[in-house]
């Protein structure tokens, strides 16, 4: 270690206390991967007449490990190369919840575990949007028209970019679990973009939207139900984003009024 320190001053790949946040993110990522592939294995079993529990278990284990390696590499690289700014965020003095008005003092605090879980979820969906999830290759999209293909081609980088930005915001809250003015503004901007994308998709006729398809004949009914539920999913996402947009606007206004005092 003494000899190596002459060439590089860092004695650890990821040093304390950043290591604790790094481990928390990886733990949530592992659970999310197991959950995703367990759900996929269950859907696969429901679409087949013959169920093989051992094959399902091996599928979940092998794919979870394989994808964990890729996400582990990406997250480790982020924490290693961006260690100085991440440490700065982690060590910054947060404003305390008791500095708020007595009406709702608890809204300022976020749980690090919740933020790490949402970080893993958004990274997962971003990987699916960009096609970085080879285990789900037997489920694809059928484009009924050329315009639907062009629509998805245009929205893919937008949706994937929003998900990656959401992941970055959740990483920020893993480091600083208190809401502040920059994170409130960032969340409002991201929710506005999410509402715009959802509104656009809801305005497109169902016949022009891409349809989920599967290579397995027994999965046709399940794909039909999933396609029929898409509009409901869009409405739910838009409703949650609208709620968060109004909530964060009120929080930002309250925070600014407190700072003015």
């Amino acid at each position: 270690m003494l000899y190596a320190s002459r060439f590089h001053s860092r004695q650890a790949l990821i040093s304390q206390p950043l290591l604790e946040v790094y481990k928390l993110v990886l733990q949530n990522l592992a659970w999310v991967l197991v959950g995703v592939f367990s759900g996929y294995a269950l859907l696969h079993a429901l679409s087949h007449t013959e169920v093989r529990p051992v094959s399902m278990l091996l599928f979940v284990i092998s794919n979870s490990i394989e994808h964990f390696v890729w996400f582990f590499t990406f997250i480790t690289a982020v924490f290693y190369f961006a260690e100085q700014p991440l440490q700065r965020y982690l060590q910054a003095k947060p404003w305390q919840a008791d500095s708020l008005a007595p009406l709702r003092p608890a809204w300022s605090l976020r749980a690090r575990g919740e933020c790490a879980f949402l970080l893993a979820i958004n990274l997962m969906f971003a990987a699916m949007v960009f096609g970085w999830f080879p285990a789900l290759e037997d489920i694809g999209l059928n484009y009924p028209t050329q315009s639907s293909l062009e629509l998805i081609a245009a929205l893919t980088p937008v949706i994937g970019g929003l998900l990656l930005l959401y992941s970055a915001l959740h990483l920020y809250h893993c480091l600083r679990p208190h809401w502040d003015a920059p994170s409130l503004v960032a969340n409002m901007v991201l929710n506005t973009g999410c509402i715009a994308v959802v509104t656009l998709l809801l305005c497109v006729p169902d016949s022009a939207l891409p349809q989920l398809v599967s290579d397995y004949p027994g999965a046709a009914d399940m794909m039909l139900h999933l396609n029929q539920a898409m509009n409901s999913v869009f409405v739910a996402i838009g409703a949650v984003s609208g709620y968060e947009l109004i909530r964060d606007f009120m929080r930002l206004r309250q925070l600014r009024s407190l700072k003015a005092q």
Side-chain angles (χ1 to χ4, degrees):
M1 289 176 63
L2 292 173
Y3 183 77
S5 65
R6 301 177 186 176
F7 302 93
H8 201 295
S9 59
R10 290 172 61 175
Q11 299 297 321
L13 186 66
I14 299 169
S15 57
Q16 291 283 3
L18 193 61
L19 181 63
E20 299 305 316
V21 178
Y22 169 75
K23 287 161 59 177
L24 182 64
V25 171
L26 288 182
Q27 288 170 6
N28 281 270
L29 177 65
W31 285 114
V32 169
L33 279 170
V34 171
V36 167
F37 288 112
S38 296
Y40 183 75
L42 179 61
L43 290 176
H44 187 273
L46 293 175
S47 62
H48 289 70
T49 56
E50 184 180 358
V51 178
R52 298 177 179 176
V54 176
S55 298
M56 291 173 57
L57 180 62
L58 292 176
F59 171 84
V60 172
I61 293 174
S62 61
N63 282 282
S64 296
I65 293 175
E66 176 187 354
H67 287 78
F68 180 81
V69 170
W70 291 108
F71 283 106
F72 167 82
T73 305
F74 172 74
I75 292 172
T76 302
V78 169
F79 274 80
Y80 176 76
F81 290 108
E83 181 179 23
Q84 290 186 354
L86 294 180
Q87 290 279 17
R88 187 166 60 249
Y89 285 132
L90 188 65
Q91 296 169 1
K93 182 180 178 181
W95 53 279
Q96 299 298 322
D98 55 11
S99 66
L100 295 174
L103 181 62
R104 289 293 298 276
W107 70 259
S108 66
L109 186 64
R110 298 203 67 180
R112 279 196 167 97
E114 174 194 356
C115 297
F117 177 77
L118 293 174
L119 166 63
I121 288 288
N122 281 281
L123 276 181
M124 202 77 55
F125 280 113
M128 292 180 183
V129 168
F130 286 121
W132 300 335
F133 232 71
L136 307 182
E137 59 188 4
D138 54 346
I139 294 180
L141 291 174
N142 178 42
Y143 303 98
T145 62
Q146 180 65 25
S147 59
S148 65
L149 177 60
E150 295 172 355
L151 174 66
I152 295 302
L155 287 181
T156 293
V158 175
I159 297 174
L162 283 173
L163 291 168
L164 289 177
L165 290 173
Y166 270 120
S167 300
L169 180 59
H170 292 310
L171 176 58
Y172 176 83
H173 279 298
C174 284
L175 303 169
R176 299 194 65 189
H178 288 79
W179 286 101
D180 52 20
S183 62
L184 285 170
V185 172
N187 204 46
M188 290 171 63
V189 171
L190 291 176
N191 280 311
T192 302
C194 184
I195 292 173
V197 171
V198 167
T199 303
L200 175 63
L201 291 173
L202 288 175
C203 291
V204 177
D206 292 344
S207 58
L209 285 174
Q211 302 293 309
L212 290 171
V213 294
S214 176
D215 296 337
Y216 297 106
D221 292 338
M222 188 173 299
M223 293 297 105
L224 177 62
H225 294 312
L226 289 176
N227 287 316
Q228 291 174 345
M230 278 301 168
N231 281 343
S232 300
V233 172
F234 294 153
V235 170
I237 294 174
V240 171
S241 296
Y243 162 74
E244 289 195 358
L245 186 62
I246 297 171
R247 179 202 65 187
D248 292 342
F249 175 78
M250 296 176 64
R251 290 176 172 181
L252 185 62
R253 186 173 63 176
Q254 182 185 11
L255 178 60
R256 286 177 174 173
S257 66
L258 289 168
K259 288 185 175 181
Q261 294 174 6

